[in-house]
Amino acid sequence: FPAGWSMDKPHYLNSDQELLVLSGEIEISGVAYREGDYAYLPPGYARYRLRSTHGATVLTYYEGEHLAFYTAAPPGMYQPKKLIRRVQSSKLRWKSARDGSQRKLLRRDRATGEETWLVKVGAAAAASSPSRGTATLNTSVEEFFLLEGELSTPQGVMQPGAYAWRAPNTAIGPAVSRAGYQAILRSKGGAPGGRPAAETVEFSLD
């Protein structure tokens, strides 16, 4: 979003929007999002006074078609329980996962099992255990966007801004990162690694 960008006409979208601010600041419906801030805005969420005074770079996921409608949302479309208005990821604590990475949980849908994480592998951890094995996703799609560092895979070397979409039953790995990396990782259509939706333990791709 360039500096001075604005959109003040009230509207809603017919799909969900999941966003992470990579740099700058943007305001949506009276909420100011800064670098590292995350939100999940369900279909039908009322939007007004969108603007970015100094500009912003925002990683945004939409689920399916996303169109703007300048009327009130149809009854029942907007589900407030799904709204995650704002998460300041910089204030969340990193938690260790079984595969040696550290993670911050941004979203978990207990009905579907879908999850969104920030993932970090430090240089020290990468140097001591640089290689990861191969795993299979049983039920869910996995999306991966590299924020920092570098990750080598059989498909090539991923650098900041690299994106991967992995279909269900896709073998993953091996992957190597000698310098470490940070990424955002999310599952769609089910829990990561094919876990049941009700199971909330952290997962491993090893």
Side-chain angles (χ1 to χ4, degrees):
F1 297 90
W5 176 85
S6 66
M7 182 179 181
D8 294 328
K9 192 172 181 180
H11 65 285
Y12 73 90
L13 299 182
N14 64 341
S15 81
D16 59 357
Q17 179 184 11
E18 192 169 8
L19 64 91
L20 178 71
V21 178
L22 303 182
S23 64
E25 179 179 338
I26 187 170
E27 180 182 337
I28 302 175
S29 302
V31 180
Y33 299 93
R34 300 176 178 84
E35 182 175 345
D37 285 356
Y38 167 88
Y40 182 88
L41 310 178
Y45 177 72
R47 300 158 189 266
Y48 59 90
R49 201 173 64 231
L50 283 69
R51 60 188 176 188
S52 181
T53 302
H54 302 292
T57 300
V58 183
L59 174 65
T60 302
Y61 297 96
Y62 296 100
E63 190 63 25
E65 178 187 58
H66 54 284
L67 300 175
F69 295 85
Y70 300 94
T71 60
M77 173 180 277
Y78 174 56
Q79 300 182 38
K81 290 184 178 180
K82 291 190 173 184
L83 173 67
I84 301 176
R85 192 179 304 276
R86 179 183 175 222
V87 173
Q88 293 177 274
S89 69
S90 61
K91 294 187 177 181
L92 298 178
R93 294 178 55 191
W94 290 103
K95 295 184 178 180
S96 297
R98 294 194 304 268
D99 62 0
S101 67
Q102 292 184 296
R103 308 197 175 194
K104 293 181 179 182
L105 179 64
L106 299 176
R107 173 179 178 259
R108 173 180 285 142
D109 187 318
R110 296 190 181 278
T112 65
E114 295 177 350
E115 296 177 351
T116 301
W117 299 79
L118 288 177
V119 180
K120 178 174 71 170
V121 174
S128 61
S129 182
S131 183
R132 301 176 71 189
T134 301
T136 300
L137 293 180
N138 295 323
T139 60
S140 65
V141 166
E142 181 181 283
E143 290 185 278
F144 181 94
F145 183 90
L146 194 65
L147 299 169
E148 299 178 13
E150 186 174 278
L151 184 64
S152 297
T153 74
Q155 289 74 36
V157 178
M158 300 182 74
Q159 296 178 330
Y163 167 84
W165 186 95
R166 297 159 177 162
N169 300 310
T170 299
I172 300 174
V176 176
S177 179
R178 300 188 184 281
Y181 66 88
Q182 289 193 41
I184 183 169
L185 176 71
R186 72 176 199 153
S187 69
K188 298 299 294 182
R195 288 191 285 103
E199 187 178 343
T200 58
V201 296
E202 294 185 1
F203 65 96
S204 170
L205 297 182
D206 286 341

